[in-house]
Amino acid sequence: MKILGIETSCDETAAAVVEDGVRILSNQIASQVEIHARYGGIVPEVASRQHILAIIPVIERAMAEARATWNDLDGIAVTIGPGLAGSLLVGVNVAKTIALARGLPITGVNHLEGHIYANWLIGQNRSFTPLFPLVCLIVSGGHSDLVLMRGHGDYVVLGRTRDDAAGEAFDKAARILGLGYPGGPAIEQAARSGTTASIQLPRAWLKGSSDFSFSGVKTALLRLVEGGRVSNRADAAASFQEAVIDVLVAKAVAAVKERRVKQILLAGGVASNGLLRQWLVQNSPIPVLVPEPILCTDNAAMIAACGYYRLQASKIDGLDLDVIPNLKLA
Ligand code: KG4
Ligand code: ZN
């Protein structure tokens, strides 16, 4: 079964064809990062306009790369939220048009659920597939959620951020340190030549809770910079990265120790961070699955993978399908 996935929730215009929810036949992404970098963050009006310009060529490239014709497709999966309304609308309207024109079933996908399903895609070096029940740590630009997944589409949210998301914290810290946008990769890169000994940053443990809070560590960093107490940006980046990852790993490990789960999954853009991947693998008592970095950040292959399982469960939407910018996972 071949599904065309479409993703336009934020600043990547993406389309992909995935077979049986696991095999990537194509994965095309047009990034707007360079355009938004000029403003130091995403400008919603600019994003939706760029999606309009890019969406048709990106879908055509995805179909060509997969060597697929419209007749080869069995369904369409499109992100309906959470995300920027004007951006989501572009993908949803194009998806509905194709579904109507070709008589294909369409299913609306939660972007966060899509991030989780990146773990079902067969990447270059994957030795095992996900097994239920599992715990998933979703860490992206907009979310930090710790989720118990009992089966396909069956989620219990164990904890979420009370303020900034992990990726958002990385982006803000990079801005404070003048490291540019997007901040996560910039902090990780700078941290490679830094050490953590000279700068101590706080961790919000929120004892007894699986929730997160990252605004305190960001503010602490800001105070140090404003007070002229940061002489080496690499050291500050290393300390910041470690403070955030320390909490993410500790809370994820605590959550799996409290429950009988088989695996822990990492998902979302921050999951491409090397230190997070390494520490989680080192500290988890059960197997850890992580998509390869290109499948951690926004892409449409993950949307097609999730869409496959939704269509298998007969979760077919009508042509009244609409965007839900503040859509929740559960
Ligand atoms: O999942 P994603 O591509 O988009 C959202 O759904 O938000 O995540 C983007 C976020 C950004 O905040 C970015 O700074 C962060 O993921 N990120 C990273 C790394 N690569 C991307 N954070 C830490 N380390 C990285 N290597
Ligand atoms: Zn995302």
Side-chain angles (χ1 to χ4, degrees):
M1 202 168 155
K2 287 179 185 153
I3 308 293
L4 171 67
I6 296 174
E7 155 66 42
T8 63
S9 69
C10 195
D11 61 344
E12 325 276 0
T13 316
V17 180
V18 170
E19 191 169 32
D20 297 335
V22 293
R23 272 183 301 284
I24 301 172
L25 304 184
S26 63
N27 192 17
Q28 291 289 326
I29 304 168
S31 176
Q32 305 175 5
V33 149
E34 283 175 20
I35 297 164
H36 297 292
R38 276 183 244 153
Y39 307 98
I42 295 162
V43 184
E45 286 80 3
V46 175
S48 46
R49 196 194 271 259
Q50 285 302 316
H51 285 305
I52 291 170
L53 294 175
I55 188 74
I56 302 292
V58 164
I59 291 173
E60 282 173 347
R61 285 207 297 276
M63 294 293 284
E65 188 194 352
R67 295 176 193 281
T69 66
W70 297 113
N71 288 333
D72 296 327
L73 294 181
D74 299 288
I76 313 267
V78 61
T79 306
I80 55 167
L84 302 168
S87 291
L88 291 162
L89 272 169
V90 177
V92 168
N93 282 321
V94 169
K96 287 201 290 191
T97 307
I98 298 172
L100 175 66
R102 303 302 310 183
L104 288 166
I106 185 169
T107 189
V109 171
N110 180 314
H111 179 81
L112 298 174
E113 203 177 351
H115 273 302
I116 297 175
Y117 275 85
N119 283 285
W120 267 261
L121 294 166
I122 301 170
Q124 277 161 349
N125 40 22
R126 280 296 293 282
S127 48
F128 31 48
T129 49
L131 292 173
F132 301 120
L134 55 85
V135 161
C136 186
L137 175 64
I138 312 168
V139 271
S140 70
H143 295 81
S144 303
D145 290 346
L146 202 50
V147 177
L148 171 67
M149 190 176 181
R150 297 178 294 200
H152 288 294
D154 179 359
Y155 309 97
V156 179
V157 176
L158 306 174
R160 53 169 50 117
T161 186
R162 294 186 185 174
D163 38 59
D164 293 352
E168 185 182 358
F170 271 97
D171 293 336
K172 287 178 177 171
R175 202 175 306 157
I176 291 168
L177 294 171
L179 291 171
Y181 169 88
I187 295 263
E188 182 171 21
Q189 174 68 27
R192 287 206 186 98
S193 50
T195 57
T196 56
S198 61
I199 298 173
Q200 265 76 48
L201 290 170
R203 278 97 167 125
W205 293 112
L206 309 175
K207 280 260 176 306
S209 164
S210 289
D211 283 351
F212 301 99
S213 166
F214 295 115
S215 73
V217 61
K218 170 203 66 189
T219 307
L221 178 69
L222 181 63
R223 295 276 174 275
L224 288 178
V225 171
E226 284 176 346
R229 279 174 287 155
V230 171
S231 54
N232 183 325
R233 288 197 301 180
D235 287 351
S239 289
F240 182 83
Q241 174 174 253
E242 200 170 287
V244 171
I245 287 172
D246 204 5
V247 177
L248 290 174
V249 170
K251 297 232 170 200
V253 168
V256 301
K257 282 186 175 160
E258 283 167 18
R259 294 173 181 83
R260 283 205 191 158
V261 291
K262 297 201 171 86
Q263 293 170 337
I264 178 156
L265 268 54
L266 255 184
V270 184
S272 49
N273 183 283
L275 192 70
L276 172 59
R277 296 159 84 103
Q278 186 192 331
W279 279 16
L280 192 59
V281 169
Q282 280 169 0
N283 290 287
S284 171
I286 55 174
V288 176
L289 272 71
V290 193
E292 55 189 276
I294 186 69
L295 299 174
C296 288
T297 44
D298 288 351
N299 66 86
M302 67 187 198
I303 303 302
C306 181
Y308 168 79
Y309 290 99
R310 287 182 60 83
L311 290 174
Q312 289 288 86
S314 302
K315 292 177 178 168
I316 299 171
D317 288 298
L319 289 175
D320 57 350
L321 181 67
D322 203 353
V323 303
I324 309 177
N326 61 354
L327 184 63
K328 300 272 181 294
L329 193 58

